[in-house]
């Protein structure tokens, strides 16, 4: 049997590239419209906020000032409370009892289990000391894993060093080793900060922001 393409088949074959082109144009047009709509909504929101600020009276400004002062006082009080509780530096815990005591007294805690004599431990301690000073909202502690085998077994720690991340008195995540930060063993403190931030055990990423600012400053200096 001989197959004779119909006119419809020829039409599909001949115009398929044109159809693809038309489809791409339609998609591009739809994307452009969507981007325009989002930009318009953002512009409208900015205009409304500017108008609201322009229309503030003395009473509104005083209310905003009082609210800001209250926020600053609350943050200052939190920092005093955290400092009194031992936040702000890397604490070394002696035993399992001390560990559970810290867990019960902390909303957020990062517990490092390591061998003090291991080469990587000194470097990790330096990173954690910097983290503790920059993130007083979280308690940072160090435990000698060799002196706490029962605790390591209870927490299912099978690799050293490990970081146990505790939120609201519960183990939220355990970083077995440091591969989540770097597979080479070399990393900056802000890279560790980013991982802990992603696990919600710290509130901000101030060190990463400082790193970005330093890079911007360096690039500006190089351009001069």
């Amino acid at each position: 049997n001989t197959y004779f393409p119909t006119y419809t088949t020829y039409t599909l074959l001949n115009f398929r590239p044109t159809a693809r082109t038309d489809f791409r144009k339609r998609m591009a047009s739809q994307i452009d419209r969507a981007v325009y709509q989002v930009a318009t909504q953002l512009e409208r929101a900015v205009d409304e906020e500017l108008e609201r600020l322009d229309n503030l009276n003395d009473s509104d400004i005083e209310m905003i000032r009082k609210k800001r002062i209250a926020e600053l006082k609350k943050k200052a009080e939190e920092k005093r409370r955290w400092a009194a509780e031992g936040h702000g530096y890397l604490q070394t815990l002696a035993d399992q009892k001390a560990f559970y005591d810290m867990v019960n007294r902390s909303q957020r805690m990062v517990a490092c289990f390591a061998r003090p004599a291991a080469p990587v431990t000194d470097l990790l301690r330096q990173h954690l000391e910097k983290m503790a000073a920059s993130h007083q909202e979280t308690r940072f502690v160090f435990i000698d894993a060799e002196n706490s085998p029962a605790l390591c077994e209870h927490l299912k720690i099978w690799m050293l060093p490990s970081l146990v991340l505790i939120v609201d008195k519960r183990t939220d995540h355990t970083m077995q080793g440091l591969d989540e930060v770097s597979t080479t063993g070399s990393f900056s403190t802000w890279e560790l900060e980013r991982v802990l931030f992603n696990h919600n055990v710290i509130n901000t990423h101030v060190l990463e922001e400082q790193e970005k600012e330093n890079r911007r400053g360096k690039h500006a200096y190089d351009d001069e």
Side-chain angles (χ1 to χ4, degrees):
N1 296 330
T2 304
Y3 171 69
F4 296 98
T6 65
Y7 174 78
T8 303
T9 305
Y10 276 121
T11 302
L12 291 173
L13 291 174
N14 292 336
F15 288 93
R16 190 171 297 164
T18 304
R20 284 200 298 267
T21 301
D22 291 343
F23 174 75
R24 289 176 183 147
K25 288 181 178 179
R26 288 196 302 272
M27 287 298 296
S29 178
Q30 291 175 5
I31 292 171
D32 288 342
R33 284 198 298 271
V35 170
Y36 174 77
Q37 289 174 357
V38 171
T40 302
Q41 291 172 357
L42 290 175
E43 185 178 5
R44 187 182 301 115
V46 171
D47 289 342
E48 290 174 354
E49 180 63 15
L50 290 174
E51 183 179 358
R52 185 185 70 83
L53 293 174
D54 288 339
N55 294 329
L56 290 176
N57 55 37
D58 292 343
S59 177
D60 295 328
I61 294 174
E62 180 63 17
M63 185 181 300
I64 292 173
R65 188 183 71 84
K66 288 181 178 180
K67 183 178 180 181
R68 180 58 178 161
I69 291 174
E71 290 174 350
L72 292 174
K73 286 183 177 179
K74 181 180 179 181
K75 288 183 179 180
E77 180 58 33
E78 284 181 336
K79 287 185 177 182
R80 283 195 292 268
R81 178 169 54 82
W82 291 332
E85 284 287 325
H87 292 221
Y89 69 98
L90 181 64
Q91 299 173 266
T92 298
L93 303 184
D95 51 30
Q96 180 170 315
K97 182 178 180 299
F99 171 79
Y100 285 115
D101 180 50
M102 291 297 102
V103 169
N104 289 328
R105 291 165 53 187
S106 309
Q107 183 180 359
R108 290 173 295 269
M109 189 169 91
V110 175
C112 174
F113 288 79
R115 295 187 183 92
V120 70
T121 301
D122 284 341
L123 180 61
L124 181 56
R125 287 184 70 110
Q126 292 175 26
H127 288 305
L128 292 174
E129 285 168 357
K130 189 173 181 180
M131 288 287 299
S134 301
H135 291 279
Q136 296 183 26
E137 74 274 14
T138 300
R139 187 190 299 276
F140 288 81
V141 300
F142 179 88
I143 300 100
D144 183 347
E146 292 180 331
N147 291 337
S148 305
L151 181 57
C152 289
E153 182 178 357
H154 176 73
L155 296 173
K156 297 180 173 60
I157 294 173
W158 54 270
M159 180 182 292
L160 297 176
S162 283
L163 298 180
V164 180
L165 313 183
I166 299 164
V167 178
D168 293 330
K169 303 178 183 180
R170 294 183 179 181
T171 301
D172 188 67
H173 178 70
T174 298
M175 296 168 56
Q176 305 279 3
L178 298 172
D179 283 356
E180 287 189 52
V181 185
S182 170
T183 56
T184 65
S186 176
F187 57 90
S188 300
T189 308
W190 66 264
E191 293 175 296
L192 173 60
E193 179 191 59
R194 177 187 290 177
V195 175
L196 298 182
F197 177 79
N198 289 338
H199 284 299
N200 300 313
V201 75
I202 57 176
N203 288 343
T204 61
H205 38 82
V206 292
L207 298 178
E208 184 173 4
E209 292 300 322
Q210 290 174 6
E211 176 66 19
K212 290 179 180 178
E213 187 64 30
N214 291 339
R215 289 179 182 178
R216 284 193 291 267
K218 183 178 183 303
H219 291 327
Y221 177 80
D222 292 340
D223 292 339
E224 292 179 356

